[in-house]
Amino acid sequence: MPELTHLLYRYPKMTLLLSLCLIMVFAFIARDVRLSNNFASLFAMDNHSNDYRHFYRQQFGADDGVLIAVIDVNQISPALTAELIRATEKLELQPEIERVISIANSSIMHNDNDSLSLDPVFFNQDPLAMPADQFAENVQLLRQSAISAGRLLATDKETLLIYAQLPIDYDSFAKVKQPAAKFRQIIEQSFLQPHFSSHEPSLYFAGIAFTRIGILTLMRADLFLLVPLTALVLAILLFYVYRSFSVVWISLLATVFSITATLAVIGINNDNINQLTVTFPVLLMVIVVANGIHFFHRYVLELQNGKSKPDAIRIMTEQVSKATLLSCLTTAIGFFALMTADMPILHSFGVYLGAGVLLSFVGLIVIIPSGLYWLQPELNYHMPSWLERVSRRNYFMSVVQALSSKPWRLHVLLIASLLLISSAFIASKASYDYYLKDMLDTDHPQIKAGEFLDKHLSGALPLEISLLAKPGDFKRADVLQRQHAFTEWLANAGIDASALSLASVIAELNRAMLNQPASRFPDSDAHIAQLLLLLESSEDQIVSQLVDAEFSHARIKANIPDVGAVAVMQLKQQIETAGQAFFHAVGVEVTLTGELPVAYEGMNKLTEELIQSVLVALIFIVITIACIFRDWRLVLAGIFPNILPIVMGMALYSLSGQGINPLPGIAFCIAIGIAVDDTVHLFARYNEELQRKQTRQQAAVAAVQAVKGALFCSSCILSIGFLLFLLSGFTWNRDLGLLGAFLIVSALWADLLITPPILAMASDDQADNCTGSA
C-alpha cells in the first residue's frame, strides 16, 4: 500500500487519465448491454415443470402472449357488434398476430329451424341489417354457448372480449410492445368513436402480456429517473457535508468507474440487465459514496490533527484502504452467496453485484487518493446542526461510555441476545407468498383490468390444463366422457365455470344435433367420429385449438383470479389429484402448466433461495471477520449489527401477516452486504486504537468517537439512496426502498450501541494480547 500511495503522489494526473481511459474501455465492452425484458428469466428453473411448460406452448401457443381487450357497455347493440366484427377483421390482418378470437369469428353450435349451424352467429350477416328479435336471439345464443359464455361474453353484464394470440417467440418487451400497441390502437379507434358518444364503452386491456409491458415500462422509467436523481442527491449531500466541489466530482468519477466496470462484466458474459440487476447502478452509487466518505472523513481528521495535506492523504490511503478492502470483500461475499441458489437469475445477480463491489474498491483506492493529491482541497466536515449540538454536548458518547462499562456491557449483550432470539422465533413463522398484482399500483390500468375480469368473468390469469395420452385417445368416447366430467368438476369445484375443452364442445354440438338441451354425452366412438368430422369444418377451427393433430394431447382452457402463489400451488395439487382420479383408468396424464403455476412456483423458490443465500452470506461474513481479525469478541460483535436487522425485518413481515415475496429477500441480501461495511470500518479503527496500548473499553469508545461521524454520514447516504426508490413507479422498488432504509438504520444503531459493549469485554486485557490486525 505505501508503494501505491507513492505512485499516486508522484503521478496523480496520469492515474486519473488512466482511470478515464479504463472507463471508456469498460463502456466500449458494455456497448451491447440492454435491459432484458424476458420475464420468464425471473423465475426460470431447470426442472420438469419448466420443461413441460416449453413442451406445452410448442403445441398450444404461449398463454403469456395473449392480448385481451375488454369492452364494457351499457347495452350490446347492433352498431357495437358491427364495430367488433370490423375490429376482429383488422386484427386478423396483422402479421404479428397468429389468431384472433371474439364472438365475431367463434363458431356457435345451435339448431336453427331443424338446421344445424356450426358458424359464428353473425357469419356473413350485418348486425345493423338484422331484425331486432334475431339479433337478441343471437346474443342469447352467445350467452348460452360453452365456447363464448363467460369467456367472450359476460353472462351477467354487457361485456365483450377480444383475444389476440402472439407467436411463442414473442417473449420480450421489444417484440411484444409494437403488436400490443397496434392491438390497442385498433380497439380504441373502433370503439372510442363519436357514434358511441352517448354511451361510450369502457375499455380495459388485460392479459399477462400487457402486465409485462406495464412492469417493464416502469422499470425503464425507473432506470432513467433514479440513476441521475441519485447522482444529483448524492452530489448535494457530499457538498453539504464537505463544502467542496472536488469531493463531489471525485466521488462521482469513482461511481462511474464502478458502474461501467460492472456493465463491462455483464457485456463480457454476453448478458443483459434483468429485473434484479436493474437496481445495481443506484446500489453501486450509494456503496461507493458511503465507502468514499470514510476516506474523506479520515483526511479531514488528519488535517485537524495538524498533518500536512500529502501526509494526511498518505495516512488516509494506508489506513482506510485496508478497511475498505475488507468491507468490499464482505459485501461481495454477501452477493456471491447467491451463487449457491439454483435459479440462474440469482447467479447473475450475485456475480454481477459482487464483481461490481470488488471493482468499486479499485476505483476508490485509485481515484480518491489521486484526486485529492492533485487538487489538495481544503475540507471541513460539516455536520447537521442537531448532530453538531449532540456531539458538542457529548450526550451520545456518554451513552456509549456507560454501555461499555462493566455494569452494563453484559446487560446490553443479554438484551440484544433476547431481541435476536425472539425476533428469530417470530420470523420463523413467516410464510412465503407472491402475487403478480403486487408488482403494480392498485390504480394501474392493468390492475383495474384484472379486477374487472375477476369480478365479472372467470378471472384475469390463464389456467392451462394439459391432458397427455396416446395417439387417437381423444377420439375415444370413454376418454372424452371423462374429460367432460372433469370439465364439469372444475365448474362445481369453483375453479372456472367457463372452462373450455374438446369434450364440452362435443357435448354442445351433440345437444344442437339432437335439439335436446339435456342430452347425454355420446357413448360410442362412431358417434364421436361423426361429431368430430362436423367440428373440423367449423369456421374457427375449434378442434385444433383444443387438441393436437394426433389426438394425443388435449388442453382445457380456464381462467382464475390472482389468488397468489401458495393458492396456485394448492390448486395445482388439487387439479392433478382430481385428474388422476378421473383419468387413471384410461392412462391420461393431467398436468397444470403454463405461465401461472410455473411462474408462481419459481417466484416462491426465488424467495426461499434469497433468504437461504442471506443466511449463507452471514455465515461467510462472520467467518471472514474471524479469519482476518482473529478475535472472538469481534466475531460476536459482528453478529448483532448484521444479523439482528435482518431477523427483525423478517419478524416485522411475520407480524404484519404479509407473505414474504422476493422483495424482502432482495432487500435483505443487499442490506447485509452494505451494512457490514460500517462494522468493518469500526473494527479497523478499534484495532488501530488497540495498537496504542489502550484497554479494550478505551479502544471501543475511542473507535466510536473517531468514526461515528463517518458512520452517521455514510448510513445517512445509504438510507437516502434507498429512500429514493420511493419515487419509483414500480411497487417493488418503493417497498425495497423502505425496507432497505430500515435495515441500514437498524444496523447503524446496532453498530454504535451494541457493538462497543461487546468489544469492551475483558477490558483489562491490554493491546498486546490482541493478535488481530486491520
Side-chain angles (χ1 to χ4, degrees):
M1 198 63 69
E3 293 80 7
L4 173 63
T5 307
H6 182 68
L7 180 65
L8 297 177
Y9 175 73
R10 291 190 60 185
Y11 308 107
K13 294 182 181 179
M14 185 178 295
T15 304
L16 289 173
L17 181 60
L18 178 61
S19 300
L20 289 173
C21 291
L22 282 174
I23 288 173
M24 289 188 285
V25 170
F26 294 150
F28 178 79
I29 296 173
R31 65 191 183 280
D32 295 326
V33 174
R34 299 290 184 271
L35 179 63
S36 172
N37 26 58
N38 186 343
F39 193 77
S41 65
L42 189 58
F43 56 80
M45 292 188 295
D46 296 328
N47 61 7
H48 174 72
S49 296
N50 204 34
D51 293 341
Y52 197 95
R53 166 181 167 269
H54 285 291
F55 161 73
Y56 180 86
R57 64 195 279 130
Q58 291 294 326
Q59 176 59 47
F60 295 112
D63 59 326
D64 57 319
V66 176
L67 306 171
I68 306 173
V70 183
I71 304 116
D72 183 44
V73 293
N74 293 328
Q75 182 181 6
I76 298 176
S77 63
L80 183 85
T81 306
E83 204 58 56
L84 184 139
I85 293 172
R86 285 192 286 271
T88 301
E89 291 171 348
K90 290 179 184 178
L91 290 170
E92 288 176 330
L93 296 176
Q94 300 305 308
E96 304 93 345
I97 295 177
E98 289 189 336
R99 187 193 299 272
V100 181
I101 302 174
S102 73
I103 63 168
N105 61 2
S106 293
S107 297
I108 305 299
M109 296 77 182
H110 64 281
N111 197 303
D112 185 13
N113 298 323
D114 295 327
S115 175
L116 183 66
S117 174
L118 278 75
D119 296 320
V121 294
F122 298 107
F123 185 64
N124 289 334
Q125 298 183 68
D126 183 0
L128 295 171
M130 192 176 291
D133 57 344
Q134 184 181 352
F135 179 82
E137 182 181 339
N138 285 348
V139 172
Q140 186 60 29
L141 285 172
L142 291 166
R143 293 191 191 279
Q144 296 172 349
S145 171
I147 295 175
S148 57
R151 298 183 61 252
L152 304 177
L153 177 68
T155 56
D156 63 345
K157 198 168 179 12
E158 303 295 289
T159 303
L160 298 166
L161 276 73
I162 300 178
Y163 292 82
Q165 175 73 59
L166 299 176
I168 60 173
D169 61 341
Y170 277 49
D171 55 0
S172 68
F173 180 78
K175 290 183 177 180
V176 173
K177 184 179 180 180
Q178 183 175 350
K182 187 64 176 178
F183 175 85
R184 185 178 190 124
Q185 179 186 9
I186 290 174
I187 297 298
E188 290 179 342
Q189 287 177 346
S190 298
F191 296 101
L192 300 182
Q193 294 191 30
H195 56 272
F196 293 125
S197 58
S198 59
H199 48 83
E200 188 174 273
S202 297
L203 300 182
Y204 301 92
F205 296 91
I208 294 177
F210 272 117
T211 301
R212 286 180 176 175
I213 291 172
I215 292 171
L216 267 297
T217 300
L218 291 176
M219 285 176 59
R220 289 163 65 96
D222 279 358
L223 194 61
F224 292 115
L225 168 68
L226 293 177
V227 171
L229 182 61
T230 302
L232 177 62
V233 171
L234 292 178
I236 293 172
L237 288 172
L238 286 169
F239 184 79
Y240 174 77
V241 172
Y242 293 105
R243 294 295 197 268
S244 170
F245 286 109
S246 299
V247 168
V248 172
W249 80 256
I250 290 171
S251 299
L252 292 182
L253 183 61
T255 64
V256 171
F257 181 94
S258 304
I259 292 171
T260 54
T262 307
L263 284 171
V265 173
I266 298 175
I268 291 172
N269 202 39
N270 293 319
D271 203 352
N272 288 306
I273 301 171
N274 59 43
Q275 293 90 335
L276 289 186
T277 54
V278 70
T279 58
F280 93 85
V282 174
L283 295 174
L284 275 183
M285 274 195 270
V286 295
I287 289 172
V288 170
V289 171
N291 274 312
I293 282 175
H294 289 280
F295 282 89
F296 299 128
H297 189 73
R298 185 60 180 263
Y299 176 65
V300 171
L301 287 179
E302 296 303 328
L303 290 179
Q304 291 174 348
N305 290 333
K307 298 292 192 301
S308 66
K309 290 178 181 178
D311 284 343
I313 296 170
R314 176 181 54 79
I315 296 171
M316 172 203 75
T317 306
E318 292 176 357
Q319 296 298 328
V320 180
S321 293
K322 299 174 185 178
T324 302
L325 174 60
L326 179 56
S327 70
C328 287
L329 179 61
T330 51
T331 301
I333 288 172
F335 291 122
F336 285 142
L338 290 173
M339 296 175 66
T340 61
D342 294 331
M343 302 186 73
I345 195 168
L346 289 184
H347 287 194
S348 63
F349 183 68
V351 169
Y352 299 148
L353 267 294
V357 171
L358 291 179
L359 290 168
S360 73
F361 171 73
V362 178
L364 286 165
I365 65 168
V366 170
I367 294 173
I368 292 181
S370 58
L372 292 176
Y373 266 130
W374 180 30
L375 299 171
Q376 297 193 12
E378 292 287 345
L379 300 186
N380 291 304
Y381 178 65
H382 180 79
M383 291 189 292
S385 56
W386 66 270
L387 184 57
E388 190 172 359
R389 287 195 299 270
V390 171
S391 178
R392 187 169 57 246
R393 296 177 184 178
N394 237 7
Y395 293 151
F396 177 76
M397 290 310 302
S398 298
V399 172
V400 173
Q401 183 87 34
L403 293 178
S404 301
S405 62
K406 280 187 176 181
W408 283 100
R409 62 178 72 131
L410 288 178
H411 292 83
V412 171
L413 179 60
L414 179 61
I415 293 171
S417 300
L418 290 174
L419 184 59
L420 179 63
I421 293 170
S422 59
S423 296
F425 175 77
I426 297 172
S428 68
K429 306 297 181 183
S431 60
Y432 300 99
D433 207 358
Y434 165 77
Y435 291 81
L436 181 62
K437 61 187 177 186
D438 285 346
M439 300 183 77
L440 296 170
D441 285 333
T442 54
D443 59 350
H444 193 280
Q446 263 36 77
I447 300 300
K448 294 292 185 183
E451 290 174 347
F452 186 91
L453 290 174
D454 292 346
K455 182 177 180 180
H456 300 293
L457 288 104
S458 55
L461 298 180
L463 202 65
E464 297 287 340
I465 303 173
S466 169
L467 285 73
L468 194 60
K470 297 187 295 293
D473 275 2
F474 288 101
K475 291 183 178 181
R476 290 167 44 189
D478 60 334
V479 174
L480 289 169
Q481 283 176 333
R482 294 171 185 272
Q483 189 189 47
H484 187 246
F486 184 55
T487 307
E488 290 184 332
W489 174 83
L490 292 171
N492 296 331
I495 296 172
D496 186 1
S498 304
L500 181 66
S501 67
L502 179 62
S504 59
V505 174
I506 288 174
E508 180 166 309
L509 178 58
N510 188 54
R511 286 192 294 268
M513 281 188 65
L514 300 177
N515 203 15
Q516 296 176 359
S519 60
R520 294 178 56 190
F521 193 86
D523 55 4
S524 72
D525 291 353
H527 193 176
I528 293 292
Q530 180 186 11
L531 295 174
L532 286 173
L533 188 62
L534 289 171
L535 283 173
E536 287 175 355
S537 64
S538 64
E539 181 70 19
D540 59 350
Q541 300 177 329
I542 187 66
V543 173
S544 65
Q545 295 183 42
L546 300 171
V547 69
D548 69 348
E550 294 184 345
F551 285 83
S552 62
H553 191 185
R555 74 190 295 197
I556 298 178
K557 298 172 63 176
N559 290 85
I560 60 168
D562 188 358
V563 293
V566 172
V568 168
M569 290 300 99
Q570 293 171 347
L571 188 62
K572 176 179 173 68
Q573 180 66 35
Q574 182 185 4
I575 288 174
E576 292 181 353
T577 301
Q580 173 73 6
F582 276 100
F583 293 100
H584 176 71
V586 291
V588 176
E589 177 187 327
V590 178
T591 305
L592 181 63
T593 187
E595 189 82 358
L596 190 61
V598 175
Y600 275 8
E601 179 186 3
M603 293 304 268
N604 267 10
K605 180 69 172 176
L606 175 63
T607 305
E608 293 176 14
E609 292 201 339
L610 278 165
I611 299 300
Q612 291 169 7
S613 297
V614 169
L615 298 178
V616 172
L618 288 169
I619 293 171
F620 276 113
I621 287 170
V622 170
I623 291 173
T624 303
I625 291 174
C627 292
I628 292 177
F629 290 105
R630 301 190 298 280
D631 188 335
W632 65 268
R633 300 169 190 80
L634 272 69
V635 174
L636 181 62
I639 290 175
F640 290 100
N642 296 295
I643 295 181
L644 187 58
I646 304 296
V647 177
M648 287 175 60
M650 292 184 67
L652 288 175
Y653 260 86
S654 183
L655 291 173
S656 69
Q658 296 184 62
I660 298 181
N661 56 43
L663 162 72
I666 296 169
F668 295 151
C669 179
I670 294 169
I672 187 59
I674 295 175
V676 73
D677 292 354
D678 284 348
T679 306
V680 168
H681 283 285
L682 179 61
F683 286 178
R685 187 63 189 221
Y686 169 74
N687 263 10
E688 270 192 67
E689 299 298 332
L690 281 179
Q691 303 305 320
R692 296 171 184 169
K693 305 299 182 180
Q694 298 189 76
T695 65
R696 293 187 181 277
Q697 180 181 349
Q698 292 170 339
V701 174
V704 172
Q705 176 68 39
V707 302
K708 72 178 189 302
L711 296 189
F712 270 117
C713 192
S714 62
S715 296
C716 177
I717 284 179
L718 287 168
S719 299
I720 290 174
F722 272 107
L723 291 175
L724 286 174
F725 281 110
L726 294 177
L727 300 175
S728 168
F730 198 27
T731 304
W732 270 22
N733 280 351
R734 293 202 299 273
D735 292 345
L736 172 64
L738 282 174
L739 185 56
F742 165 79
L743 294 172
I744 294 298
V745 172
S746 300
L748 170 67
W749 288 109
D751 267 320
L752 295 176
L753 298 180
I754 298 177
T755 302
I758 298 174
L759 294 178
M761 288 183 175
S763 61
D764 292 334
D765 295 345
Q766 295 300 311
D768 56 0
N769 292 327
C770 177
T771 58
S773 65

